[in-house]
Amino acid sequence: MITGASSGIGAAAARLFAQHGAHVVLTARRQKQLAALAEEIEAGGGRAAYVTGDVRRSRDMEHVVGTALDRFGRLDAAFNNAGQATPGRDPHEIPDGDYDTVMDVNVRGVWNCMRHQARAMLAGGRGSIVNTASVAGLLATGVGAPYVAAKHAVIGLTKAAAASYGDRNIRVNALAVGSTLTEMMESVVEQMPGVEQTFFARAIQKRFAAPAEIARAALWLCSDASSFVTGATLPVEGGTLAV
Ligand SMILES: NC(=O)c1ccc[n+]([C@@H]2O[C@H](COP(=O)([O-])OP(=O)(O)OC[C@H]3O[C@@H](n4cnc5c(N)ncnc54)[C@H](O)[C@@H]3O)[C@@H](O)[C@H]2O)c1
């Protein structure tokens, strides 16, 4: 199950997971993009289903998990990747509504997903959940304070869920994603021209990641190749946290 699969990192993950033999269930709000991606994966010999939904609505995510079980029999792995950013204005200039949206999409979204995924994985006896956090989950990077707070919360939820389910063969990890060239980043750069130079200034590798570079880390964490990794926040950020 991949959320936020209609573009960026989620779409790259859908392609990559399918190439590695996963049967993928894609979700996001945009039907057209999801349908085209599912069709592309199936045309390439993979297996893909899609369900439109909003991660802010628990019932939508329950429906996505149900679709995974109905179509493919079980849920082995989940990549909770849907997210939304706020531009980096001062907190007093950010409307309350933006705070609510950012917290709802990034934090409640992961919460909604994990609760339904955990039920399915407990029934199946195993599972791996990967939540998309950010360097902003560990540092004030210059993006909006609600986004920084939300991604910190994603890391907190990840650790707590890992601790809860660790004795029942379910691993839960997060990705501390760095600057990646996606629709979200394009919109941040449009609203804050030149902001990428601030991001690059911190990093060792002074460039944007391609979405596939993040997807490869998600694949590893979702797979048994990372069988002794849980509760972790894996940096995939060109060394931003190292210096
Ligand atoms: N691009 C970056 O530099 C960067 C850096 C750190 C973390 N991230 C995180 O990576 C994740 C993926 O973002 P991206 O960069 O690929 O951007 P993106 O805008 O291309 O993708 C975001 C995805 O989330 C979906 N989404 C947003 N709100 C949703 C909602 N309420 N319900 C369902 N789906 C929703 C969008 O439709 C889209 O599919 C996000 O969690 C983001 O916070 C991105």
Side-chain angles (χ1 to χ4, degrees):
M1 172 172 167
I2 301 173
T3 75
S6 61
S7 62
I9 295 165
R15 292 188 176 96
L16 187 72
F17 289 19
Q19 278 163 19
H20 282 76
H23 297 176
V24 291
V25 178
L26 315 178
T27 187
R29 290 165 304 174
R30 292 174 294 181
Q31 197 263 344
K32 207 171 128 194
Q33 282 85 345
L34 289 178
L37 182 54
E39 198 177 314
E40 177 196 317
I41 288 169
E42 294 254 330
R47 297 288 310 279
Y50 73 89
V51 190
T52 52
D54 189 321
V55 293
R56 290 173 289 186
R57 287 201 291 262
S58 178
R59 252 185 309 176
D60 286 8
M61 294 306 104
E62 186 176 19
H63 181 46
V64 182
V65 171
T67 302
L69 299 178
D70 290 347
R71 289 290 297 275
F72 301 129
R74 60 178 200 268
L75 183 66
D76 297 315
F79 183 28
N80 297 326
N81 163 78
Q84 190 174 321
T86 33
R89 287 169 291 183
D90 288 338
H92 73 275
E93 292 177 333
I94 296 175
D96 279 341
D98 286 13
Y99 174 90
D100 291 341
T101 303
V102 166
M103 294 304 270
D104 272 357
V105 174
N106 293 283
V107 187
R108 186 175 292 278
V110 165
W111 170 253
N112 286 338
C113 288
M114 286 205 302
R115 293 180 71 241
H116 296 298
Q117 292 158 354
R119 281 195 193 97
M121 289 174 176
L122 287 168
R126 65 195 298 273
S128 176
I129 295 173
V130 178
N131 298 320
T132 303
S134 168
V135 172
L138 297 160
L139 301 173
T141 53
V143 290
Y147 184 77
V148 172
K151 291 303 191 184
H152 275 70
V154 168
I155 290 174
L157 284 177
T158 300
K159 289 178 182 170
S164 287
Y165 299 122
D167 60 351
R168 282 161 288 170
N169 214 17
I170 298 172
R171 297 184 297 110
V172 188
N173 291 287
L175 292 176
V177 173
S179 306
T180 307
L181 201 51
T182 63
E183 283 181 19
M184 177 185 289
M185 179 54 78
E186 279 164 12
S187 135
V188 170
V189 170
E190 202 179 290
Q191 292 174 70
M192 302 170 68
V195 74
E196 68 271 27
Q197 295 313 325
T198 320
F199 299 148
F200 296 164
R202 275 181 194 264
I204 293 174
Q205 292 172 284
K206 296 186 186 305
R207 64 169 175 83
F208 285 120
E213 293 181 282
I214 312 302
R216 286 198 288 270
L219 176 70
W220 181 71
L221 284 175
C222 281
S223 78
D224 289 341
S226 59
S227 53
F228 201 50
V229 182
T230 195
T233 299
L234 180 71
V236 194
E237 35 60 288
T240 305
L241 295 164
V243 289

PDB file of all heavy atoms in Angstrom, residues 70-96:
ATOM      1  N   ASP A  70      -8.659  -7.648  -0.239  1.00  0.00           N
ATOM      2  CA  ASP A  70      -9.578  -8.281  -1.206  1.00  0.00           C
ATOM      3  C   ASP A  70      -8.848  -8.675  -2.476  1.00  0.00           C
ATOM      4  O   ASP A  70      -9.055  -9.760  -3.024  1.00  0.00           O
ATOM      5  CB  ASP A  70     -10.710  -7.313  -1.591  1.00  0.00           C
ATOM      6  CG  ASP A  70     -11.670  -7.088  -0.433  1.00  0.00           C
ATOM      7  OD1 ASP A  70     -11.609  -7.856   0.550  1.00  0.00           O
ATOM      8  OD2 ASP A  70     -12.459  -6.127  -0.513  1.00  0.00           O
ATOM      9  N   ARG A  71      -7.996  -7.762  -2.988  1.00  0.00           N
ATOM     10  CA  ARG A  71      -7.374  -8.003  -4.288  1.00  0.00           C
ATOM     11  C   ARG A  71      -6.173  -8.950  -4.208  1.00  0.00           C
ATOM     12  O   ARG A  71      -5.955  -9.770  -5.094  1.00  0.00           O
ATOM     13  CB  ARG A  71      -6.913  -6.674  -4.905  1.00  0.00           C
ATOM     14  CG  ARG A  71      -8.041  -5.777  -5.370  1.00  0.00           C
ATOM     15  CD  ARG A  71      -8.746  -6.351  -6.610  1.00  0.00           C
ATOM     16  NE  ARG A  71      -7.846  -6.448  -7.746  1.00  0.00           N
ATOM     17  CZ  ARG A  71      -7.580  -5.460  -8.592  1.00  0.00           C
ATOM     18  NH1 ARG A  71      -8.196  -4.296  -8.450  1.00  0.00           N
ATOM     19  NH2 ARG A  71      -6.732  -5.628  -9.592  1.00  0.00           N
ATOM     20  N   PHE A  72      -5.392  -8.811  -3.128  1.00  0.00           N
ATOM     21  CA  PHE A  72      -4.118  -9.532  -3.100  1.00  0.00           C
ATOM     22  C   PHE A  72      -3.952 -10.449  -1.892  1.00  0.00           C
ATOM     23  O   PHE A  72      -2.897 -11.062  -1.713  1.00  0.00           O
ATOM     24  CB  PHE A  72      -2.954  -8.524  -3.173  1.00  0.00           C
ATOM     25  CG  PHE A  72      -2.998  -7.669  -4.423  1.00  0.00           C
ATOM     26  CD1 PHE A  72      -2.909  -6.288  -4.345  1.00  0.00           C
ATOM     27  CD2 PHE A  72      -3.136  -8.239  -5.685  1.00  0.00           C
ATOM     28  CE1 PHE A  72      -2.943  -5.492  -5.492  1.00  0.00           C
ATOM     29  CE2 PHE A  72      -3.175  -7.455  -6.838  1.00  0.00           C
ATOM     30  CZ  PHE A  72      -3.089  -6.081  -6.745  1.00  0.00           C
ATOM     31  N   GLY A  73      -4.967 -10.499  -1.022  1.00  0.00           N
ATOM     32  CA  GLY A  73      -4.978 -11.511   0.034  1.00  0.00           C
ATOM     33  C   GLY A  73      -4.340 -11.110   1.346  1.00  0.00           C
ATOM     34  O   GLY A  73      -4.683 -11.653   2.394  1.00  0.00           O
ATOM     35  N   ARG A  74      -3.383 -10.187   1.331  1.00  0.00           N
ATOM     36  CA  ARG A  74      -2.749  -9.780   2.590  1.00  0.00           C
ATOM     37  C   ARG A  74      -2.022  -8.458   2.390  1.00  0.00           C
ATOM     38  O   ARG A  74      -1.853  -8.011   1.252  1.00  0.00           O
ATOM     39  CB  ARG A  74      -1.771 -10.858   3.067  1.00  0.00           C
ATOM     40  CG  ARG A  74      -0.646 -11.142   2.101  1.00  0.00           C
ATOM     41  CD  ARG A  74       0.326 -12.184   2.659  1.00  0.00           C
ATOM     42  NE  ARG A  74       1.605 -12.090   1.973  1.00  0.00           N
ATOM     43  CZ  ARG A  74       1.931 -12.792   0.894  1.00  0.00           C
ATOM     44  NH1 ARG A  74       1.056 -13.641   0.371  1.00  0.00           N
ATOM     45  NH2 ARG A  74       3.100 -12.643   0.332  1.00  0.00           N
ATOM     46  N   LEU A  75      -1.610  -7.853   3.504  1.00  0.00           N
ATOM     47  CA  LEU A  75      -0.843  -6.612   3.440  1.00  0.00           C
ATOM     48  C   LEU A  75       0.521  -6.860   4.084  1.00  0.00           C
ATOM     49  O   LEU A  75       0.622  -7.036   5.296  1.00  0.00           O
ATOM     50  CB  LEU A  75      -1.583  -5.484   4.178  1.00  0.00           C
ATOM     51  CG  LEU A  75      -0.897  -4.113   4.117  1.00  0.00           C
ATOM     52  CD1 LEU A  75      -0.885  -3.559   2.690  1.00  0.00           C
ATOM     53  CD2 LEU A  75      -1.604  -3.114   5.044  1.00  0.00           C
ATOM     54  N   ASP A  76       1.552  -6.887   3.247  1.00  0.00           N
ATOM     55  CA  ASP A  76       2.918  -7.135   3.742  1.00  0.00           C
ATOM     56  C   ASP A  76       3.615  -5.851   4.145  1.00  0.00           C
ATOM     57  O   ASP A  76       4.431  -5.843   5.070  1.00  0.00           O
ATOM     58  CB  ASP A  76       3.773  -7.789   2.642  1.00  0.00           C
ATOM     59  CG  ASP A  76       3.239  -9.140   2.232  1.00  0.00           C
ATOM     60  OD1 ASP A  76       2.904  -9.929   3.125  1.00  0.00           O
ATOM     61  OD2 ASP A  76       3.149  -9.394   1.007  1.00  0.00           O
ATOM     62  N   ALA A  77       3.363  -4.783   3.392  1.00  0.00           N
ATOM     63  CA  ALA A  77       4.148  -3.561   3.587  1.00  0.00           C
ATOM     64  C   ALA A  77       3.319  -2.341   3.230  1.00  0.00           C
ATOM     65  O   ALA A  77       2.423  -2.408   2.384  1.00  0.00           O
ATOM     66  CB  ALA A  77       5.400  -3.613   2.700  1.00  0.00           C
ATOM     67  N   ALA A  78       3.636  -1.243   3.892  1.00  0.00           N
ATOM     68  CA  ALA A  78       2.915   0.008   3.626  1.00  0.00           C
ATOM     69  C   ALA A  78       3.902   1.164   3.617  1.00  0.00           C
ATOM     70  O   ALA A  78       4.776   1.251   4.486  1.00  0.00           O
ATOM     71  CB  ALA A  78       1.855   0.225   4.696  1.00  0.00           C
ATOM     72  N   PHE A  79       3.749   2.026   2.638  1.00  0.00           N
ATOM     73  CA  PHE A  79       4.580   3.235   2.541  1.00  0.00           C
ATOM     74  C   PHE A  79       3.641   4.429   2.682  1.00  0.00           C
ATOM     75  O   PHE A  79       2.932   4.778   1.736  1.00  0.00           O
ATOM     76  CB  PHE A  79       5.312   3.221   1.195  1.00  0.00           C
ATOM     77  CG  PHE A  79       6.270   4.376   0.989  1.00  0.00           C
ATOM     78  CD1 PHE A  79       6.904   5.002   2.057  1.00  0.00           C
ATOM     79  CD2 PHE A  79       6.558   4.832  -0.289  1.00  0.00           C
ATOM     80  CE1 PHE A  79       7.794   6.065   1.867  1.00  0.00           C
ATOM     81  CE2 PHE A  79       7.442   5.885  -0.506  1.00  0.00           C
ATOM     82  CZ  PHE A  79       8.052   6.503   0.579  1.00  0.00           C
ATOM     83  N   ASN A  80       3.627   5.001   3.890  1.00  0.00           N
ATOM     84  CA  ASN A  80       2.723   6.121   4.197  1.00  0.00           C
ATOM     85  C   ASN A  80       3.446   7.414   3.859  1.00  0.00           C
ATOM     86  O   ASN A  80       4.155   7.990   4.679  1.00  0.00           O
ATOM     87  CB  ASN A  80       2.313   6.058   5.672  1.00  0.00           C
ATOM     88  CG  ASN A  80       1.534   4.791   5.959  1.00  0.00           C
ATOM     89  OD1 ASN A  80       0.787   4.317   5.104  1.00  0.00           O
ATOM     90  ND2 ASN A  80       1.717   4.227   7.125  1.00  0.00           N
ATOM     91  N   ASN A  81       3.227   7.853   2.652  1.00  0.00           N
ATOM     92  CA  ASN A  81       4.076   8.875   2.051  1.00  0.00           C
ATOM     93  C   ASN A  81       3.360  10.173   1.731  1.00  0.00           C
ATOM     94  O   ASN A  81       4.005  11.197   1.514  1.00  0.00           O
ATOM     95  CB  ASN A  81       4.677   8.232   0.781  1.00  0.00           C
ATOM     96  CG  ASN A  81       5.235   9.238  -0.168  1.00  0.00           C
ATOM     97  OD1 ASN A  81       6.327   9.749   0.059  1.00  0.00           O
ATOM     98  ND2 ASN A  81       4.500   9.557  -1.222  1.00  0.00           N
ATOM     99  N   ALA A  82       2.024  10.171   1.747  1.00  0.00           N
ATOM    100  CA  ALA A  82       1.290  11.403   1.398  1.00  0.00           C
ATOM    101  C   ALA A  82       1.683  12.515   2.359  1.00  0.00           C
ATOM    102  O   ALA A  82       1.845  12.292   3.564  1.00  0.00           O
ATOM    103  CB  ALA A  82      -0.215  11.159   1.472  1.00  0.00           C
ATOM    104  N   GLY A  83       1.852  13.702   1.834  1.00  0.00           N
ATOM    105  CA  GLY A  83       2.219  14.814   2.707  1.00  0.00           C
ATOM    106  C   GLY A  83       1.985  16.137   2.019  1.00  0.00           C
ATOM    107  O   GLY A  83       1.789  16.213   0.805  1.00  0.00           O
ATOM    108  N   GLN A  84       1.976  17.166   2.825  1.00  0.00           N
ATOM    109  CA  GLN A  84       1.776  18.519   2.303  1.00  0.00           C
ATOM    110  C   GLN A  84       2.614  19.491   3.129  1.00  0.00           C
ATOM    111  O   GLN A  84       2.683  19.360   4.351  1.00  0.00           O
ATOM    112  CB  GLN A  84       0.292  18.881   2.395  1.00  0.00           C
ATOM    113  CG  GLN A  84      -0.034  20.168   1.659  1.00  0.00           C
ATOM    114  CD  GLN A  84      -1.529  20.437   1.633  1.00  0.00           C
ATOM    115  OE1 GLN A  84      -2.336  19.515   1.483  1.00  0.00           O
ATOM    116  NE2 GLN A  84      -1.915  21.688   1.785  1.00  0.00           N
ATOM    117  N   ALA A  85       3.235  20.471   2.438  1.00  0.00           N
ATOM    118  CA  ALA A  85       4.123  21.423   3.125  1.00  0.00           C
ATOM    119  C   ALA A  85       3.493  22.803   3.228  1.00  0.00           C
ATOM    120  O   ALA A  85       2.535  23.123   2.530  1.00  0.00           O
ATOM    121  CB  ALA A  85       5.438  21.515   2.348  1.00  0.00           C
ATOM    122  N   THR A  86       4.044  23.619   4.137  1.00  0.00           N
ATOM    123  CA  THR A  86       3.714  25.057   4.167  1.00  0.00           C
ATOM    124  C   THR A  86       4.984  25.826   3.884  1.00  0.00           C
ATOM    125  O   THR A  86       6.047  25.450   4.358  1.00  0.00           O
ATOM    126  CB  THR A  86       3.263  25.560   5.571  1.00  0.00           C
ATOM    127  OG1 THR A  86       3.965  24.830   6.552  1.00  0.00           O
ATOM    128  CG2 THR A  86       1.793  25.509   5.740  1.00  0.00           C
ATOM    129  N   PRO A  87       4.892  26.945   3.164  1.00  0.00           N
ATOM    130  CA  PRO A  87       6.089  27.753   2.943  1.00  0.00           C
ATOM    131  C   PRO A  87       6.593  28.350   4.253  1.00  0.00           C
ATOM    132  O   PRO A  87       5.840  28.472   5.219  1.00  0.00           O
ATOM    133  CB  PRO A  87       5.631  28.845   1.986  1.00  0.00           C
ATOM    134  CG  PRO A  87       4.172  28.712   1.819  1.00  0.00           C
ATOM    135  CD  PRO A  87       3.708  27.474   2.511  1.00  0.00           C
ATOM    136  N   GLY A  88       7.866  28.710   4.260  1.00  0.00           N
ATOM    137  CA  GLY A  88       8.525  29.085   5.509  1.00  0.00           C
ATOM    138  C   GLY A  88       8.349  30.521   5.929  1.00  0.00           C
ATOM    139  O   GLY A  88       9.320  31.256   6.094  1.00  0.00           O
ATOM    140  N   ARG A  89       7.101  30.950   6.128  1.00  0.00           N
ATOM    141  CA  ARG A  89       6.897  32.281   6.701  1.00  0.00           C
ATOM    142  C   ARG A  89       7.034  32.198   8.213  1.00  0.00           C
ATOM    143  O   ARG A  89       7.063  31.108   8.785  1.00  0.00           O
ATOM    144  CB  ARG A  89       5.501  32.787   6.316  1.00  0.00           C
ATOM    145  CG  ARG A  89       5.431  33.182   4.848  1.00  0.00           C
ATOM    146  CD  ARG A  89       4.001  33.420   4.430  1.00  0.00           C
ATOM    147  NE  ARG A  89       3.256  32.160   4.425  1.00  0.00           N
ATOM    148  CZ  ARG A  89       1.990  32.045   4.055  1.00  0.00           C
ATOM    149  NH1 ARG A  89       1.321  33.089   3.669  1.00  0.00           N
ATOM    150  NH2 ARG A  89       1.393  30.879   4.061  1.00  0.00           N
ATOM    151  N   ASP A  90       7.060  33.364   8.877  1.00  0.00           N
ATOM    152  CA  ASP A  90       7.070  33.354  10.341  1.00  0.00           C
ATOM    153  C   ASP A  90       5.758  32.748  10.834  1.00  0.00           C
ATOM    154  O   ASP A  90       4.708  32.945  10.208  1.00  0.00           O
ATOM    155  CB  ASP A  90       7.177  34.785  10.883  1.00  0.00           C
ATOM    156  CG  ASP A  90       8.567  35.373  10.674  1.00  0.00           C
ATOM    157  OD1 ASP A  90       9.521  34.584  10.507  1.00  0.00           O
ATOM    158  OD2 ASP A  90       8.684  36.611  10.674  1.00  0.00           O
ATOM    159  N   PRO A  91       5.801  32.077  11.986  1.00  0.00           N
ATOM    160  CA  PRO A  91       4.570  31.448  12.493  1.00  0.00           C
ATOM    161  C   PRO A  91       3.380  32.404  12.563  1.00  0.00           C
ATOM    162  O   PRO A  91       2.263  32.012  12.215  1.00  0.00           O
ATOM    163  CB  PRO A  91       4.986  30.958  13.885  1.00  0.00           C
ATOM    164  CG  PRO A  91       6.440  30.657  13.738  1.00  0.00           C
ATOM    165  CD  PRO A  91       6.984  31.709  12.798  1.00  0.00           C
ATOM    166  N   HIS A  92       3.599  33.661  12.950  1.00  0.00           N
ATOM    167  CA  HIS A  92       2.437  34.555  13.100  1.00  0.00           C
ATOM    168  C   HIS A  92       1.808  34.923  11.760  1.00  0.00           C
ATOM    169  O   HIS A  92       0.705  35.460  11.720  1.00  0.00           O
ATOM    170  CB  HIS A  92       2.817  35.819  13.895  1.00  0.00           C
ATOM    171  CG  HIS A  92       3.674  36.791  13.137  1.00  0.00           C
ATOM    172  ND1 HIS A  92       5.042  36.683  13.066  1.00  0.00           N
ATOM    173  CD2 HIS A  92       3.343  37.868  12.392  1.00  0.00           C
ATOM    174  CE1 HIS A  92       5.513  37.668  12.322  1.00  0.00           C
ATOM    175  NE2 HIS A  92       4.508  38.405  11.896  1.00  0.00           N
ATOM    176  N   GLU A  93       2.513  34.632  10.669  1.00  0.00           N
ATOM    177  CA  GLU A  93       1.956  34.941   9.342  1.00  0.00           C
ATOM    178  C   GLU A  93       1.263  33.738   8.704  1.00  0.00           C
ATOM    179  O   GLU A  93       0.699  33.845   7.620  1.00  0.00           O
ATOM    180  CB  GLU A  93       3.084  35.421   8.408  1.00  0.00           C
ATOM    181  CG  GLU A  93       3.651  36.771   8.823  1.00  0.00           C
ATOM    182  CD  GLU A  93       4.799  37.203   7.937  1.00  0.00           C
ATOM    183  OE1 GLU A  93       5.470  36.319   7.371  1.00  0.00           O
ATOM    184  OE2 GLU A  93       5.003  38.411   7.816  1.00  0.00           O
ATOM    185  N   ILE A  94       1.362  32.587   9.359  1.00  0.00           N
ATOM    186  CA  ILE A  94       0.753  31.374   8.793  1.00  0.00           C
ATOM    187  C   ILE A  94      -0.670  31.248   9.326  1.00  0.00           C
ATOM    188  O   ILE A  94      -0.877  31.220  10.542  1.00  0.00           O
ATOM    189  CB  ILE A  94       1.593  30.126   9.167  1.00  0.00           C
ATOM    190  CG1 ILE A  94       2.986  30.235   8.536  1.00  0.00           C
ATOM    191  CG2 ILE A  94       0.890  28.837   8.733  1.00  0.00           C
ATOM    192  CD1 ILE A  94       3.944  29.137   8.928  1.00  0.00           C
ATOM    193  N   PRO A  95      -1.657  31.192   8.427  1.00  0.00           N
ATOM    194  CA  PRO A  95      -3.050  31.100   8.900  1.00  0.00           C
ATOM    195  C   PRO A  95      -3.295  29.805   9.676  1.00  0.00           C
ATOM    196  O   PRO A  95      -2.674  28.771   9.381  1.00  0.00           O
ATOM    197  CB  PRO A  95      -3.864  31.095   7.606  1.00  0.00           C
ATOM    198  CG  PRO A  95      -2.951  31.529   6.528  1.00  0.00           C
ATOM    199  CD  PRO A  95      -1.550  31.225   6.974  1.00  0.00           C
ATOM    200  N   ASP A  96      -4.204  29.886  10.665  1.00  0.00           N
ATOM    201  CA  ASP A  96      -4.567  28.694  11.445  1.00  0.00           C
ATOM    202  C   ASP A  96      -4.983  27.542  10.544  1.00  0.00           C
ATOM    203  O   ASP A  96      -4.693  26.380  10.823  1.00  0.00           O
ATOM    204  CB  ASP A  96      -5.750  29.022  12.378  1.00  0.00           C
ATOM    205  CG  ASP A  96      -5.281  29.733  13.640  1.00  0.00           C
ATOM    206  OD1 ASP A  96      -4.083  29.660  13.960  1.00  0.00           O
ATOM    207  OD2 ASP A  96      -6.127  30.369  14.287  1.00  0.00           O
TER     208      ASP A  96
END
